[in-house]
Amino acid sequence: MPLTYDREALFDRFPLASKSKNLSHLFDPRKDIPKSSFGVRMVKMTDLPTKGGFSFDLCTRNQMLLDKGVQMPPFRKTGTTIVGLVFQDGVVLGADTRATEGPIVADKNCEKIHFMAPNIYCCGAGTAADTEAVTDMVSSQLQLHRYATGRESRVVTALTLLKSHLFSYQGHVSAALVLGGVDVTGPHLHTVYPHGSTDTLPFATMGSGSLAAMSVFESKYREGLTREEGIELVAEAICAGIFNDLGSGSNVDVCVITKGQTEYLRNYQLPNPRTYISSKGYSFVKGQTEVLSTKITPIQSKVQTVEGGDAMEE
Amino acid sequence: MSIFEYNGSALVAMVGKNCFAIASDRRLGVQLQTVATDFQRVFKIHDRLYIGLSGLATDAQTMYQKLVFRHKLYQLREERDMKPQTFASLVSALLYEKRFGPFFCQPVIAGLGDNDEPFICTMDCLGAKELAKDFVVSGTASESLYGACESMYKPDMEPEELFETISQALLSSVDRDCLSGWGGYVLLVTPTEVQEKILKGRMD
């Protein structure tokens, strides 16, 4: 079948082509190479690095596998306890440090409090890849915004960027966040749900351990807490999640944000130390493992300096 | 049957004193039938950076080819090799790009960074990074590997002891997994040399 750009022939074969009257959708804007009449691109997609955003080209294959009865793998989730509260000078955020993959603990000490701006931090629960990617993306956008405006970032800016991204993916980007920070308008604490709704609260909990942590907050929270009281209350709430919820565990991370200063207390409490380890450990004798063949390659350094070379002639 | 159990795999990387080791099994299967006993899962990116890819074998090979392509472009532009941390971010971005139609592979990245500081990291199939200071595991035998490494690992091991430890952890774990095994392949990297060893294991 010869190449043809005849409009009528194309509309007969491809009803969707009639949507764009000037056939511009069949032309690749990056490279001005027209498609053949079968709608097949003459230049392969893998030639150029992608411009960003999601790529859906494996979806057909994966759907075919699902239809054949193959199960989708479990993604790494942060079955989590994350909390935040507003105290008299600012905001305290807290999180546990366990990352799970199904029932297995994948990471015993992961970081769930993500940097957004020097005065704004965000805790993430849900699919780990989604929380990391969405907080990194918004953090970069906030930095660009700071360069453009020349001002400190505001918490509501981060909130709007997050909620509009999550809403546009209709909940498929599974990130539940507790966003807190202090800007010129004062301390703020917000929760963001995977579908894009937000709440503004004086104290908030999210994740699988949120009920355990909320019980602590509901009994002990009051307005006008001091910094020490705030940190202690947050640590207590996270510990409630660690000990009562199976999806949360290991250590307590705390982040205190006040006007002009942020303190990230990584591993503020370690209530689950490994005490059963034997000091001797396992020791294997050299040569204990049977080896069939060995190949040793020396690593050559690529830059070779020549000491005391001849002086250059004038 | 999960997509990760289609081919079967076992991968582990451990950190030692100014060195690291990355090890894999050698079986390639189609569900319960073994098709190859010399399958390569650990690939070289440059002299001091290696990546192991577990999960669906076809996706592992495609992922490796895309990564080598990107690294070669980087080398041409920057006139140097990529640092392990940068490479881990690259792998994570490539995997997350396919968030709604992912590659079914879980990478294990191991490299020597600045000052011969060893770096290891693993990710799930969406690119959620897990930077560990001791060991990382991946594959169908991962549950046994977690247990074996947790008990056998010691910090600051010398290269010979690290080799023995990682080999014993790998062999004992794959013996408890039907879908991986048929020998082992261990790659030990120190600042001066790279040692590749093929291990003798149970062939069942």
Side-chain angles (χ1 to χ4, degrees), chain A residues 150-310:
Chain A
R151 292 190 174 96
E152 192 186 53
S153 296
R154 299 193 186 191
V155 183
V156 286
T157 318
L159 182 71
T160 311
L161 289 168
L162 284 166
K163 73 181 347 192
S164 48
H165 179 82
L166 291 174
F167 178 74
S168 66
Y169 286 98
Q170 288 291 290
H172 290 286
V173 175
S174 170
L177 309 165
V178 169
L179 175 71
V182 177
D183 55 31
V184 285
T185 49
H188 298 275
L189 180 70
H190 303 280
T191 52
V192 186
Y193 289 83
H195 285 264
S197 61
T198 58
D199 287 318
T200 307
L201 299 161
F203 57 94
T205 66
M206 293 281 263
S208 55
S210 60
L211 272 62
M214 189 50 98
S215 63
V216 172
F217 274 173
E218 286 287 7
S219 353
K220 297 190 179 172
Y221 180 82
R222 56 182 170 76
E223 279 183 32
L225 290 164
T226 63
R227 183 199 155 94
E228 287 71 30
E229 288 172 341
I231 295 177
E232 208 187 293
L233 187 57
V234 159
E236 209 183 321
I238 298 290
C239 282
I242 287 174
F243 293 120
N244 296 298
D245 173 42
L246 298 178
S248 317
S250 298
N251 315 313
V252 181
D253 281 352
V254 172
C255 184
V256 186
I257 309 174
T258 50
K259 193 174 169 63
Q261 199 204 11
T262 308
E263 250 187 273
Y264 183 17
L265 305 164
R266 168 84 171 136
N267 287 358
Y268 174 70
Q269 275 181 10
L270 294 106
N272 294 300
R274 262 189 97 190
T275 48
Y276 55 84
I277 195 164
S278 118
S279 51
K280 275 190 306 174
Y282 279 86
S283 51
F284 299 108
V285 174
K286 184 180 168 183
Q288 191 166 352
T289 317
E290 283 187 77
V291 173
L292 290 174
S293 69
T294 311
K295 180 173 144 189
I296 302 182
T297 328
I299 296 181
Q300 277 142 1
S301 72
K302 295 198 162 92
V303 175
Q304 277 154 344
T305 50
V306 176
E307 302 292 337
D310 293 338

Side-chain angles (χ1 to χ4, degrees), chain B residues 3-126:
Chain B
I3 190 62
F4 281 109
E5 290 166 15
Y6 187 76
N7 291 128
S9 51
L11 273 172
V12 55
M14 269 194 199
V15 161
K17 192 164 184 172
N18 288 341
C19 62
F20 68 84
I22 181 167
S24 77
D25 72 319
R26 304 189 82 210
R27 175 184 181 270
L28 175 71
V30 170
Q31 294 183 320
L32 294 176
Q33 185 187 38
T34 305
V35 169
T37 57
D38 58 357
F39 189 66
Q40 189 193 8
R41 286 200 170 85
V42 176
F43 302 102
K44 178 173 136 168
I45 302 292
H46 63 76
D47 277 339
R48 289 153 64 103
L49 179 60
Y50 290 80
I51 181 166
L53 290 155
S54 71
L56 195 63
T58 170
D59 279 352
Q61 289 183 335
T62 307
M63 214 31 221
Y64 165 65
Q65 286 164 6
K66 284 168 97 81
L67 289 167
V68 157
F69 166 65
R70 294 292 294 264
H71 182 252
K72 282 184 178 170
L73 276 179
Y74 184 92
Q75 271 179 325
L76 286 171
R77 282 199 204 104
E78 301 260 331
E79 292 176 7
R80 64 181 177 91
D81 291 330
M82 228 189 234
K83 283 191 202 158
Q85 291 84 349
T86 316
F87 184 71
S89 296
L90 171 67
V91 181
S92 177
L94 278 178
L95 289 171
Y96 191 71
E97 204 181 18
K98 304 262 184 283
R99 163 68 174 88
F100 299 115
F103 280 118
F104 296 121
C105 66
Q106 287 170 325
V108 163
I109 296 162
L112 277 181
D114 296 330
N115 302 325
D116 298 335
E117 189 75 36
F119 170 85
I120 51 172
C121 145
T122 185
M123 287 166 217
D124 68 348
C125 62
L126 292 184

Side-chain angles (χ1 to χ4, degrees), chain A residues 50 55 61 108 130 292, chain B residues 59 96-99 150 198:
Chain A
T50 46
S55 137
R61 177 199 76 157
K108 291 191 282 186
D130 287 334
L292 290 174
Chain B
D59 279 352
Y96 191 71
E97 204 181 18
K98 304 262 184 283
R99 163 68 174 88
E150 192 76 56
I198 312 272

Side-chain angles (χ1 to χ4, degrees), chain B residues 132-175:
Chain B
K133 294 196 175 54
D134 39 17
F135 58 86
V136 291
V137 303
S138 171
T140 49
S142 62
E143 293 176 26
S144 313
L145 278 165
Y146 274 124
C149 292
E150 192 76 56
S151 347
M152 296 182 192
Y153 177 80
K154 277 188 294 209
D156 285 332
M157 284 188 279
E158 294 296 325
E160 280 123 15
E161 203 189 344
L162 179 66
F163 167 73
E164 293 295 331
T165 310
I166 199 176
S167 313
Q168 291 291 323
L170 179 73
L171 290 173
S172 47
S173 306
V174 303
D175 283 352

